Amino acid sequence: MDHNPVTHIHSNQPGTRSVAIACQGGGSHTAFTAGLLTGVLPHLSRRGYRVIALSGSSGGAICALLAWGALVQHGRGNNLSSELQSLRDFWRASAARTPWERAWNDWVIALRCLQLNGTVPELRTSPYAPTTEAFEDLLTRTAPRPEFFDLRRLLEDHAPEHLLGQTIVEPRLLVSAVDVLSGRFKLFDSSVGEITVNALLASCALPSLYQAQRVNGAIYWDGLFSQNPPVHDLVSVPKGQVKPDEIWLVRINPRERNHEPRSASEIEDRRNELGASISLHQELRFIDRVNQWLKDGTLRSAEHKPITVRELEMDHEISAGLGYSSKLNRSPRLLDRLFEHGIDRAHRFVERLPSVIPAEESGQPALRHS
């Protein structure tokens, strides 16, 4: 087997638009992202779009990883739709399938809802506490499926093992985390061979549930505390790499709510939604500002170009019915519902997506939407 082979597909082709997809984190809600990527990706080439990069944090990073693996394999001659089956397989494997798992899942969600409503006091404990470690070990050893409690096993079962640790420049994958000690944002980058199971675990290490993940001597927490998801770095590409014409943001946390949060659970839900999107909004404002500078002539540079940002999110009637506690919910019914909604949303998005007319056929420059 080759070690660290470099995959670089030239993307700056006439009549095509290069796309980077950024996947926001959000626990079980990112089953929506899995369905959306499954529904969108097979239809892009016929409309003149090419995915050159993906990024993600936490659950969004897992979805981005599996889609990235499918795209790399497709570039090597495999069927894309077949490769994307890994997204559905992962979420089916993570669901509470056995009676024992369903009982555990129902208990966890019910307890969390009672805590958020103030009915039951929230007892905080550290994932480093000996009692916590012993309890988690007991669950893993006695559960019918150990991988239900062990994210590492789930990732090892479904991640594209033959691509992990390889240097793959295009499509590029960025996975976000934060260095616990320095406070610096960290991007694990496929173009320098940093995508590993440990990198994904670092992006998913929610400190209230998991111990910090150690990678190359540093310790990391969840990507939700850094860039959720990475956007700016999809634009600030290393020299020699292609910048995207468009960024598609898969948004999990809704931008707006229709009423003022009043109950303890509603306030907690909205606080978490807003807090997880702070860096995202800053990065989107930066792109908007540069687009405006280019439009009015304030900025004239061959290194910059207008970038279209498209957002894909759940329908409001679905997202409005999901509370923060449901991000921990691994009910097969919920995960399947979100996955299928992602596929439906993908089909509607593709139907409205403007086709890019090849310059050779039209005699006109390729379409540019700013």
Side-chain angles (χ1 to χ4, degrees):
M1 178 181 295
D2 293 335
H3 294 283
N4 295 331
V6 176
T7 300
H8 190 176
I9 306 169
H10 185 60
S11 301
N12 195 18
Q13 301 173 356
T16 65
R17 285 179 68 77
S18 55
V19 175
I21 302 179
C23 303
Q24 193 173 47
S28 294
H29 293 185
T30 53
F32 165 78
T33 305
L36 191 144
L37 293 174
T38 300
V40 162
L41 294 179
H43 302 287
L44 297 186
S45 62
R46 71 188 65 170
R47 289 184 173 267
Y49 295 84
R50 183 186 192 90
V51 177
I52 62 168
L54 298 104
S55 70
S57 59
S58 197
I62 294 175
C63 294
L65 167 77
L66 298 174
W68 170 77
L71 289 169
V72 174
Q73 289 298 95
H74 177 57
R76 297 177 178 179
N78 291 9
N79 180 272
L80 180 57
S81 294
S82 297
E83 293 293 334
L84 288 170
Q85 181 65 32
S86 62
L87 284 156
R88 186 182 287 273
D89 291 344
F90 175 86
W91 286 101
R92 283 179 172 170
S94 67
R97 300 194 327 231
T98 69
W100 193 96
E101 291 168 356
R102 289 195 293 270
W104 172 265
N105 185 70
D106 292 346
W107 178 80
V108 168
I109 300 306
L111 177 62
R112 185 57 180 157
C113 289
L114 291 173
Q115 290 173 338
L116 289 175
N117 289 326
T119 306
V120 173
E122 185 173 357
L123 301 177
R124 296 184 179 273
T125 185
S126 167
Y128 296 88
T131 52
T132 303
E133 291 184 320
F135 184 60
E136 291 177 350
D137 180 64
L138 177 64
L139 287 174
T140 302
R141 287 190 291 106
T142 60
R145 291 190 308 134
E147 62 270 25
F148 182 72
F149 290 104
D150 192 338
L151 181 56
R152 178 181 292 276
R153 292 194 190 191
L154 267 180
L155 287 172
E156 289 173 346
D157 287 345
H158 297 278
E161 180 182 4
H162 56 292
L163 301 179
L164 300 180
Q166 293 190 12
T167 301
I168 298 180
V169 177
E170 189 183 314
R172 186 186 184 199
L173 176 62
L174 299 175
V175 170
S176 68
V178 63
D179 187 310
V180 177
L181 301 184
S182 71
R184 296 189 181 94
F185 293 173
K186 170 63 180 178
L187 285 177
F188 296 98
D189 187 347
S190 70
S191 70
V192 290
E194 291 182 325
I195 303 301
T196 63
V197 168
N198 283 346
L200 268 293
L201 290 173
S203 188
C204 296
L206 194 64
S208 59
L209 297 177
Y210 302 108
Q211 295 184 8
Q213 179 65 39
R214 283 160 170 76
V215 183
N216 297 329
I219 57 175
Y220 297 100
W221 272 345
D222 198 307
L224 298 177
F225 294 101
S226 56
Q227 295 164 283
N228 185 26
V231 172
H232 176 72
D233 291 274
L234 294 172
V235 178
S236 301
V237 300
K239 186 175 182 180
Q241 295 186 26
V242 177
K243 290 187 177 183
D245 296 306
E246 303 197 6
I247 291 177
W248 297 354
L249 168 64
V250 184
R251 186 186 283 273
I252 296 299
N253 296 314
R255 288 170 295 179
E256 301 176 354
R257 288 293 188 184
N258 291 335
H259 65 277
E260 178 184 356
R262 291 180 177 272
S263 69
S265 59
E266 288 177 338
I267 292 171
E268 181 74 5
D269 287 348
R270 193 55 177 156
R271 185 187 71 84
N272 282 286
E273 289 169 355
L274 297 175
S277 300
I278 291 174
S279 64
L280 170 62
H281 293 157
Q282 292 174 338
E283 295 188 25
L284 292 177
R285 280 199 298 270
F286 174 79
I287 293 174
D288 287 342
R289 189 175 299 116
V290 173
N291 282 345
Q292 185 60 45
W293 289 341
L294 291 169
K295 183 178 180 180
D296 62 25
T298 303
L299 177 63
R300 300 177 186 274
S301 169
E303 296 181 2
H304 296 86
K305 64 180 179 181
I307 294 176
T308 300
V309 177
R310 305 183 193 274
E311 295 197 15
L312 300 92
E313 56 187 338
M314 300 179 202
D315 291 343
H316 177 73
E317 59 269 22
I318 291 181
S319 63
L322 298 173
Y324 180 72
S325 60
S326 66
K327 290 184 177 181
L328 302 175
N329 191 348
R330 296 163 70 179
S331 159
R333 182 178 179 181
L334 173 66
L335 298 182
D336 287 345
R337 178 189 178 208
L338 291 176
F339 190 96
E340 294 302 325
H341 178 53
I343 290 179
D344 176 68
R345 183 70 179 84
H347 292 166
R348 287 184 280 142
F349 174 77
V350 171
E351 286 174 0
R352 295 194 297 267
L353 188 65
S355 294
V356 179
I357 303 174
E360 300 91 335
E361 296 180 11
S362 66
Q364 301 293 329
L367 296 180
R368 293 267 174 192
H369 305 274
S370 60

